[in-house]
């Protein structure tokens, strides 16, 4: 009887060690996977910020070009400059990104997009400015950057979906809650965002 009791205790001990080992490796692998996916989200967000910054960096050259045409509507250019200032002042911490943070960022960037669109529409009434090589160069760079913005925001959203599914799927959600990995917000497309800006006219 004693031998059987010892055998049962030994078997239970081994089973417990095996279970703890399985839990340890599951927890370690799951945690490391979350870290990798979260870092991927942070990298993709950095790419989004980079292309938006590139767009903001175009504005000083645009300002100099437009200002050389004395008759151009100054209020339209002022709106662009003010919108750029607001857009570049919004900073995001990707490690603690919330829906409210992302909405604020998108609103500021959307305001700049609107101001730029208005300016380019007004330029249509100024043939000399429209034909200016510096302005043409701006248009080309602007279109390329807007296309990059679309691509990078799609890449960001894909990385967020991958991360969110990973931390919300059972049993990973238990580990994610225990280790404080939280859902990341998606970048929401603006109306008409699927189209490249039409800044060239016939």
């Amino acid at each position: 009887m004693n031998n059987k009791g010892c055998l049962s205790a030994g078997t239970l001990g081994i089973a417990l060690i095996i279970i703890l080992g399985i839990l340890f490796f599951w927890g370690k692998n799951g945690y490391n996977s979350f870290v990798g996916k979260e870092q991927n989200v942070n990298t993709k967000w950095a790419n989004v910020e980079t292309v938006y910054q590139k767009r903001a960096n175009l504005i000083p050259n645009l300002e100099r070009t437009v200002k050389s045409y004395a008759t151009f509507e100054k209020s339209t250019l002022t709106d662009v400059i003010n919108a750029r200032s607001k857009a570049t002042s919004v900073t995001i911490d990707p490690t603690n990104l919330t829906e409210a943070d992302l909405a604020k960022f998108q609103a500021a960037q959307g305001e700049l997009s609107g101001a730029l669109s208005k300016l380019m529409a007004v330029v249509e009434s100024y043939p000399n400015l429209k034909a200016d090589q510096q302005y043409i160069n701006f248009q080309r760079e602007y279109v390329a950057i807007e296309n990059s913005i679309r691509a990078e925001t799609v890449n960001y959203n894909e990385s967020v979906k991958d991360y969110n599914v990973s931390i919300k799927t059972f049993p990973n959600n238990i580990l994610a809650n225990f280790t404080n990995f939280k859902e990341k917000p998606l970048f929401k497309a603006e109306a008409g965002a699927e189209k490249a800006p039409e800044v060239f006219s016939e």
Side-chain angles (χ1 to χ4, degrees):
M1 294 289 290
N2 288 339
N3 287 341
K4 287 183 178 179
C6 290
L7 183 61
S8 296
T11 303
L12 286 173
I14 292 170
L16 183 59
I17 290 170
I18 291 171
I19 290 169
L20 289 174
I22 291 170
L23 288 173
F24 171 77
F25 284 107
W26 168 73
K28 178 179 75 71
N29 292 338
Y31 182 86
N32 289 342
S33 175
F34 297 161
V35 169
K37 290 176 187 294
E38 186 175 50
Q39 288 302 310
N40 188 42
V41 171
N42 294 346
T43 299
K44 300 300 184 188
W45 176 253
N47 292 344
V48 169
E49 287 189 312
T50 297
V51 290
Y52 273 114
Q53 185 59 52
K54 283 182 179 178
R55 183 177 72 169
N57 291 345
L58 290 179
I59 307 303
N61 286 340
L62 173 65
E63 182 183 358
R64 283 190 291 273
T65 302
V66 170
K67 274 186 173 178
S68 66
Y69 291 81
T71 59
F72 190 79
E73 299 173 24
K74 290 182 173 58
S75 62
T76 306
L77 179 59
T78 300
D79 289 344
V80 171
I81 294 165
N82 291 340
R84 176 190 185 269
S85 177
K86 186 175 178 181
T88 54
S89 70
V90 178
T91 56
I92 298 289
D93 176 9
T95 61
N96 192 31
L97 186 58
T98 65
E99 290 276 359
D101 291 334
L102 196 53
K104 184 178 179 183
F105 179 87
Q106 284 195 257
Q109 296 298 339
E111 190 176 322
L112 178 54
S113 296
L116 283 166
S117 294
K118 183 181 176 184
L119 182 141
M120 288 185 284
V122 170
V123 167
E124 293 298 311
S125 302
Y126 295 82
N128 291 339
L129 174 55
K130 186 180 169 185
D132 187 289
Q133 189 59 50
Q134 292 299 315
Y135 182 75
I136 291 170
N137 291 342
F138 161 77
Q139 285 183 310
R140 288 184 179 138
E141 287 185 70
Y142 177 72
V143 170
I145 288 171
E146 285 292 329
N147 288 332
S148 294
I149 286 172
R150 284 166 183 75
E152 294 301 344
T153 52
V154 167
N155 291 339
Y156 166 78
N157 276 353
E158 287 175 352
S159 69
V160 167
K161 286 177 184 177
D162 182 46
Y163 168 81
N164 286 346
V165 167
S166 180
I167 66 166
K168 291 171 72 176
T169 305
F170 182 82
N172 285 353
N173 60 331
I174 298 170
L175 179 63
N177 288 334
F178 182 72
T179 52
N180 205 32
F181 281 92
K182 296 178 181 177
E183 188 175 358
K184 305 282 188 184
L186 291 166
F187 203 99
K188 293 180 175 62
E190 298 175 52
E194 71 283 353
K195 295 181 181 179
E198 296 177 6
V199 295
F200 295 106
S201 61
E202 298 297 330

